[in-house]
Amino acid sequence: MIKSWPHRTMPTLLVMLLLGVGIWYWFAPFAGSPHQADTGAGGGGTGIARGPVATVTVIALQRQRFEETLTAYGTTEATPGESQRFTVPYESRVRKVQVSPGQIVLADTPLMEIEPSHETRLQLDSAREERGTAGHQLDLIQERLQMNLATRQDLLQAKQHLRAAEIRVQSLEKRGTAHLTTLHATSPGIVSVIPVREGQIVSPGTPLLETIDENKIAVRLGIELEDMALLQTGQAVRLIPVHRPVSQSIEGHIRLIAQEVNLSTRLVDVLVAPGPHAGLLLNEYVRGEILVEARDTFVVSREAVVPTANGYLLYTVSDGSAKAHRVQLRLETDQQVEVQGDTLKEGQLVAVIGSSQLHNGMAVTVVSSP
């Protein structure tokens, strides 16, 4: 007798069939032959890779000259004690100024015309009058001596009086109080300061004009107080004129470090002496780069160094994998940093771009080297 399945049993069988097909479909991609698994583990076939592969750009590690500099700004001025100052030893009047500040002058160039003031002329006239009176007195004493109306002591005093009057007149005339005086440059240079104006009455010894040799221009830089410990006299400085379209650095050295704070700038003044033939202008705005420290060392770009919770790492690439090196940082600039580590060697390939995604032993692919 042929038995038939009950009608209600058919849906149950259909559900079981569909469930079996779904389970097979889910696990089939993960099943493979033993040969395929072994091939993948060996890395020579088309099996599954061991882990992610990073793409990096590398550069050869080399020693190079690395410098740490301190940047400061300032202006040029006449070197203290090196300018030539023009004065006259009597009260005078500025009749005519023939040059301007910043003007280049040659030797014997006329600079300024000076004439005696009214008071100085009165002094000279008084001295001349006194000399004349002393001469008349001497003649009178000599006549009275012949008549025995005077003594030789009187004659000696009269001669001394005349001599003193003559010396005073000669001194005033020798200093130029008797005529117009023209001041001339004694050597080539640059007019640095003219503190007087035409028509001004100036006292004896007052500076009328200053010139300076073009090779005697100094640079006064302003330094923060906390940076003073990094400086010392004789230290090398690179000077760059700020407002020139094309500026080459000028070598110089620190001549003087002030031991006080400038009340105007609240900075410490540092006087820098440029090298010969620097070509700087007076009152020119200058940037100074003071060399604090320099040595030959390993230098990499900032992006090559990976910061961690325990310090800094640098990755090198060898045989297709990355190796981590713990390093210390020393001198730094905006783009580069000095690194030191016991395992670093010259010629190692350092990962630059892509270093932040690496870990020790990670597989890497090098795409290019800058």
Side-chain angles (χ1 to χ4, degrees), residues 98-285:
Q98 298 173 283
V99 292
S100 301
Q103 180 176 336
I104 297 177
V105 295
L106 302 177
D108 205 36
T109 299
L111 305 175
M112 185 180 295
E113 291 183 358
I114 299 296
E115 63 183 3
S117 68
H118 180 69
E119 183 66 27
T120 300
R121 293 184 184 275
L122 288 178
Q123 292 178 5
L124 179 59
D125 293 340
S126 176
R128 287 173 174 174
E129 184 177 353
E130 184 178 355
R131 182 183 60 180
T133 301
H136 291 310
Q137 288 181 346
L138 178 58
D139 294 338
L140 181 59
I141 293 295
Q142 288 175 340
E143 292 178 0
R144 296 182 63 183
L145 183 61
Q146 293 177 358
M147 295 183 293
N148 295 323
L149 297 177
T151 64
R152 291 189 175 276
Q153 183 65 27
D154 296 332
L155 179 62
L156 180 59
Q157 290 179 351
K159 287 182 178 180
Q160 290 177 343
H161 189 196
L162 176 61
R163 179 59 180 165
E166 289 177 343
I167 291 175
R168 187 183 179 195
V169 171
Q170 291 174 2
S171 175
L172 289 171
E173 291 178 345
K174 187 176 180 179
R175 283 183 283 173
T177 60
H179 51 77
L180 179 71
T181 301
T182 301
L183 304 178
H184 292 81
T186 58
S187 60
I190 302 172
V191 178
S192 58
V193 179
I194 304 179
V196 298
R197 61 185 184 277
E198 292 184 0
Q200 181 177 341
I201 303 297
V202 294
S203 303
T206 299
L208 302 171
L209 183 143
E210 290 186 16
T211 63
I212 183 175
D213 189 313
E214 62 180 352
N215 292 322
K216 299 297 182 180
I217 295 178
V219 179
R220 187 176 296 273
L221 301 176
I223 303 296
E224 296 288 349
L225 187 60
E226 59 267 23
D227 294 328
M228 282 191 65
L230 303 174
L231 306 182
Q232 59 183 351
T233 55
Q235 206 163 350
V237 183
R238 283 193 294 266
L239 302 171
I240 301 96
V242 174
H243 297 303
R244 298 192 188 184
V246 179
S247 299
Q248 294 183 346
S249 62
I250 300 166
E251 299 301 322
H253 65 275
I254 295 178
R255 177 181 177 182
L256 174 68
I257 302 174
Q259 298 302 306
E260 64 177 1
V261 176
N262 189 309
L263 295 178
S264 300
T265 63
R266 310 308 302 175
L267 301 174
V268 177
D269 289 338
V270 174
L271 198 65
V272 178
H277 310 295
L280 292 172
L281 305 178
L282 284 173
N283 303 315
E284 187 170 10
Y285 194 43

